[in-house]
Amino acid sequence: MQMQNLTTSHQEPPQSQETESLVQRLAGPSSGKAGLAKDQTEINRIIADVSKGSKFYENEKKKDRELTERINKVLKTRDEVVKGVDIRKVEANVDRLLAEMESQRDLTQTIVHVDMDAFYASVELLSNPELAGKPFGVGRGVLTTASYEARKYGVRSGMPGFIAKRLCPDLIFVQNHFSKYMDMSNRIMAIFKRYDPNMLPAGCDEGYLNITAYCEEHSISAEDCVREMRRIVFEETKLTVSAGIAPNKMLAKICSDRNKPNGQFHLPFDRKSIVAFMHDLSIRKVPGIGRVNERLLESIGIKTCADIFTHRVVIALMDKQFGLHFLLRTHLGIASNEVQPIQREERKSIGAERTFPPLDDRDKLLQMLEHIASELESDMSRNGWMGKTVTLKYKLDTYQVFTRAKSLTRYVSSKQELFSIGRDLFVAEGHVKVRLIGLRVTRLKDLRAPSPAGIKRFFESANSSPRKRQKLGSEGMRDEIYENDEQEKQHMDAMPGFYEHEEAMHHVNAVEESEDDQRGMVAEKSRERPRPPVSAPARPLTSLVKLEDVPRKISPPKPKPLGRERSKSDVGQRSKDPYFDVPNGKQAQVCPICSRTLVTDNQGLNAHVDFCLSRSAIQEARSNGGGTSADKSEHTASAKPPFGPTLNGWDFLMAQKETNPRTKDKKRK
């Protein structure tokens, strides 16, 4: 490969009123939905023309311009990183990595991705058979889905009603009925679980199954098994489902879209067929690559999965921007085949939000926020959650999305607390005109998790789990911190930025949620949170450095002054000091150290436990250190009740360090 092939000069996209990328962006994230016309040029032009002059249009134009600037920086970086590089050496390293990945290909599992056809529209059709054969959309301000008859005109989910009406003048609008969708979803999932009890729901209308064991047990082929499954779904619900059969979840997801609606596609389980299948596949068809990453990849010449190999040197040199492992695995058609339901400990956030016509009446907005807080309290109470961080999300009438968060020292779940925090965050923003508002709680505590026996439970970090708090941010913010191998693997299974907040998550053409948003909301209520169709792949390959091997600085908490007396000002600051009890929410609790029964809350109990431990440890240390009996009696007499500021474990260690003769000697030296 010649150097000039890598550094071909790029022309900056024109900054006119309507760039090609802007027109494509205005088409929305659902432009690849099944049933749409292959050539959507005229449809996209109509959408752009109708959108002109709106705040949505201006916001999309701004985002398109920002992405163009980002692409220009990426191209500039590309031109710089390839200078003076031994291309053959990089190619050889990547080829070795490809060979290692190939050696890990697993063709032993039969994975199926099932996807209901136009789910909301199909459910509405059951209630109103007169809609059969007619173009109709579900939703008012923005469509949550559209019938296949409407899709022929370019109508799709996430599209404003006035644009849909322009594309299809005879379009019929049908109101959403989410309770019906949830009931039907539960019936469908129950059928799927007959074939795989450990299936992974990926929303209210789709999921992944591993039917390997079922096929072996019943001596049936994968195709016959899926055909039977689809037949039973139709017989029991009168709804159709499409399916993809493949060796892993990524391929199964892609295959399920091949013969929609009401069809299935079986990809042969051999390397040659899989590589050929991926060769000419559009990069946008790959789960985890949305509109933004599609443009980024196209900017360096990657439009199909075959182009990944052609540009493997640039991808390797710009791993941070593009994700080398993810793209190489995509090129080979290798992904995770692990199918299991989402565990409770994987839950990292819970929230509720509402979209509505632009509103600037603060009183009405606060009433809506109070209603959201009430709904959120109900969900948290019903499912056994509390949290320490409350995030307010709001979307301006200009379609800009903002989040404001407040972290607490205690867990909250009540409507009063959620609303109070949300109200304070919202009022601080001043006078704003918004079209969406919501609350989300993170840093969760599972009230249904079995408590460790004895004193150990008082030393566990908040929100700990077997996955070590994989995600600390809200779903809207998608902040990811990879703290262990599992997270590092998961990160490799998607392009950088895939877990960040994307506008596709909340397509904002009009005044209701898009179909994907509503699916997420329904799945949220069923506690089966949608996630990317690819999960943790095989073990990280050669060039990765494990995060746990990287030394980290851990700043200890700042020690509190010893012997601080409780003043009147302290009493006034009770709610701010974690060592004071909180007046509200008290209950009878037994101290595991002194066995006293205390009427307090968890925070007060923790303070009391700290006090008991510190008192015992200090007395023992003084005894071992040769302290006088007068010293001991003085300390015992001055011990404060368990509801004031106490000496916790860290304070004690710091105090011991300061009074230790060896430590003093080292300081002198």
Side-chain angles (χ1 to χ4, degrees), residues 94 101 108 243 290 388 403 422 478 541 593 664:
V94 176
M101 289 179 173
T108 63
K388 279 190 173 182
T403 55
R478 299 280 174 171
L541 301 174
I593 307 299
K664 290 185 176 181

Side-chain angles (χ1 to χ4, degrees), residues 298-467:
E298 287 184 349
S299 71
I300 62 170
I302 299 178
K303 294 186 177 181
T304 67
C305 292
D307 295 330
I308 295 173
F309 183 80
T310 305
H311 297 277
R312 64 193 185 282
V313 172
V314 172
I315 298 171
L317 295 174
M318 302 181 70
D319 182 17
K320 183 178 180 181
Q321 287 84 358
F322 295 105
L324 175 65
H325 285 76
F326 168 71
L327 289 177
L328 292 183
R329 292 167 65 85
T330 297
H331 166 71
L332 294 173
I334 296 176
S336 170
N337 57 14
E338 178 186 356
V339 175
Q340 60 180 5
I342 299 174
Q343 305 299 315
R344 266 186 77 86
E345 61 264 24
E346 294 183 79
R347 183 66 181 259
K348 300 304 171 187
S349 69
I350 182 171
E353 63 183 41
R354 286 291 175 269
T355 309
F356 41 84
L359 183 64
D360 60 358
D361 187 318
R362 176 174 289 183
D363 291 337
K364 291 183 178 179
L365 288 170
L366 289 178
Q367 289 177 7
M368 192 172 300
L369 187 64
E370 186 174 14
H371 176 74
I372 291 171
S374 177
E375 180 181 337
L376 185 53
E377 176 198 44
S378 176
D379 283 353
M380 296 179 73
S381 174
R382 183 173 63 252
N383 294 281
W385 296 106
M386 298 181 77
K388 279 190 173 182
T389 297
V390 180
T391 299
L392 168 77
K393 173 186 174 184
Y394 66 92
K395 183 184 297 178
L396 297 178
D397 62 326
T398 58
Y399 296 92
Q400 294 173 288
V401 180
F402 296 91
T403 55
R404 300 289 184 264
K406 181 175 182 180
S407 293
L408 309 169
T409 58
R410 67 186 189 281
Y411 289 102
V412 298
S413 63
S414 71
K415 169 190 171 182
Q416 291 77 10
E417 292 172 308
L418 295 172
F419 173 65
S420 177
I421 296 169
R423 179 191 58 204
D424 292 345
L425 292 172
F426 184 68
V427 170
E429 296 300 295
H431 184 78
V432 290
K433 190 174 186 179
V434 302
R435 62 185 307 117
L436 176 149
I437 193 167
L439 291 172
R440 183 160 295 277
V441 179
T442 54
R443 295 173 64 202
L444 299 179
K445 177 181 181 180
D446 186 355
L447 300 179
R448 296 180 181 175
S451 301
I455 188 63
K456 288 184 179 180
R457 69 182 183 273
F458 294 102
F459 296 97
E460 287 203 341
S461 60
N463 202 31
S464 62
S465 74
R467 295 185 181 271

Side-chain angles (χ1 to χ4, degrees), residues 166 239 452 669:
R166 177 73 174 270
L239 299 178
K669 292 180 180 179

Side-chain angles (χ1 to χ4, degrees), residues 650-663:
W650 179 265
D651 295 335
F652 169 67
L653 292 176
M654 297 300 295
Q656 287 294 99
K657 184 177 180 181
E658 291 296 323
T659 58
N660 192 323
R662 294 183 181 179
T663 306

Side-chain angles (χ1 to χ4, degrees), residues 35-37 43 135 148-155 164 167-170:
L36 297 173
I43 293 173
Y148 283 98
E149 290 77 12
R151 295 185 188 189
K152 296 175 182 178
Y153 295 88
V155 180
L167 293 172
C168 180
D170 296 327

Side-chain angles (χ1 to χ4, degrees), residues 613-623 635 647 652 655-656:
L613 290 173
S614 301
R615 180 176 59 183
S616 302
I618 292 175
Q619 288 177 342
E620 183 179 352
R622 287 182 178 273
S623 299
H635 173 75
L647 188 67
F652 169 67
Q656 287 294 99

